[in-house]
Amino acid sequence: MKRLIFVAATVALLLGLGAPAALAADPLPRTGSVLVSVNHAVDIPAGDHLDTLVVVGGDARISGDVRTIVVVRGTATLTGATAETLLVVNGSADLQAG
């Protein structure tokens, strides 16, 4: 339980650090949508829009538009995606063509 609280607090802190950059420019529309996934893979298809995506212990495959992406202990694969902020902790980012 302490580990989950630590991960949640870390993610919240990291999102707070990314907020000034996200507020500086507004190229993506705000949708008010947030998706949080723990220990599961996530697919965001082309045409989908999210404000925030947080994935802990899983991989994220993104082809749509996401303002802020946080992946902890996983891989973020962006293919033809649009993002303002990408943060990967203890994982990797795969930025593919498009």
Side-chain angles (χ1 to χ4, degrees):
M1 184 65 168
K2 289 182 181 180
R3 183 177 220 168
L4 181 60
I5 292 171
F6 174 75
V7 169
T10 301
V11 169
L13 175 66
L14 295 174
L15 287 174
L17 292 175
L23 295 174
D26 198 22
L28 294 176
R30 294 193 184 275
T31 62
S33 59
V34 176
L35 176 60
V36 178
S37 175
V38 178
N39 295 327
H40 291 283
V42 174
D43 287 312
I44 307 299
D48 279 9
H49 306 281
L50 291 174
D51 278 344
T52 305
L53 172 64
V54 178
V55 181
V56 179
D59 296 332
R61 290 176 295 281
I62 303 155
S63 297
D65 302 326
V66 182
R67 293 174 69 83
T68 303
I69 303 166
V70 177
V71 176
V72 180
R73 293 186 339 259
T75 300
T77 303
L78 282 70
T79 305
T82 302
E84 288 182 10
T85 305
L86 172 62
L87 176 65
V88 179
V89 179
N90 288 336
S92 60
D94 183 7
L95 306 177
Q96 298 187 358

